[in-house]
Amino acid sequence: MTWDPGIARLRVSRVVSVIDVGRVLNLGPARNQVQGAIVMGVGMGIFEETHYDPRNGNPINNNLADHVVSTCADSPEIDVTFLNYPDLTLNEYGARGVGEIGLAGVAPAITAAVYHATGIRVRELPVKIETLLRA
């Protein structure tokens, strides 16, 4: 996590993910799946926020023109390591689905990194520059 209070710039600079998904059958697609989940987690942690209409509860920013999402330029350096321990109790191959398991810890890791970079504990997502500047 890099934080420059002079220009109010917050960026995720690097993500390291070590995941146990059982036996990895095809390393390339499995790594790509986790990397995509990490980029989704970065979006959840510092970009994406849904605003709701207080009258009816419908989302106000329900289109890509009003909803900020992470892009390739926002993607940090990503290092994915698989433990590759076969889970033979699950099936005979020892493989589990990779799916979006890489997403689970990214947003909490971002808030922890923000705390270590700034000393400010953030308790709601996304992490907003305004919150960091107010503290």
Side-chain angles (χ1 to χ4, degrees), residues 2-21:
T2 58
W3 165 244
D4 186 349
I7 58 173
R9 181 173 185 220
L10 181 69
R11 289 191 49 91
V12 177
S13 54
R14 183 171 183 232
V15 176
V16 176
S17 181
V18 179
I19 299 179
D20 182 9
V21 294

Side-chain angles (χ1 to χ4, degrees), residues 45-110:
I46 61 175
F47 293 113
E48 299 175 20
E49 181 178 23
T50 304
H51 298 282
Y52 295 97
D53 188 339
R55 297 170 294 165
N56 56 20
N58 289 332
I60 297 171
N61 59 339
N62 59 355
N63 57 65
L64 290 177
D66 298 329
H67 191 81
V68 180
V69 295
S70 55
T71 65
C72 289
D74 303 311
S75 297
E77 175 188 341
I78 300 173
D79 181 15
V80 176
T81 302
F82 294 107
L83 295 180
N84 208 14
Y85 295 136
D87 186 2
L88 298 174
T89 58
L90 183 64
N91 59 44
E92 60 195 40
Y93 295 110
R96 292 185 243 151
V98 176
E100 293 178 355
I101 193 170
L103 175 66
V106 177
I110 287 173

Side-chain angles (χ1 to χ4, degrees), residues 26-39 78 80 82 98-99:
N26 199 338
L27 186 61
R31 179 172 281 119
N32 291 344
Q33 187 79 17
V34 173
Q35 288 173 340
I38 289 170
V39 173
I78 300 173
V80 176
F82 294 107
V98 176

Side-chain angles (χ1 to χ4, degrees), residues 92-128:
E92 60 195 40
Y93 295 110
R96 292 185 243 151
V98 176
E100 293 178 355
I101 193 170
L103 175 66
V106 177
I110 287 173
T111 60
V114 166
Y115 174 72
H116 288 289
T118 65
I120 300 165
R121 189 69 76 183
V122 179
R123 304 258 183 225
E124 53 187 47
L125 294 176
V127 177
K128 297 179 184 173

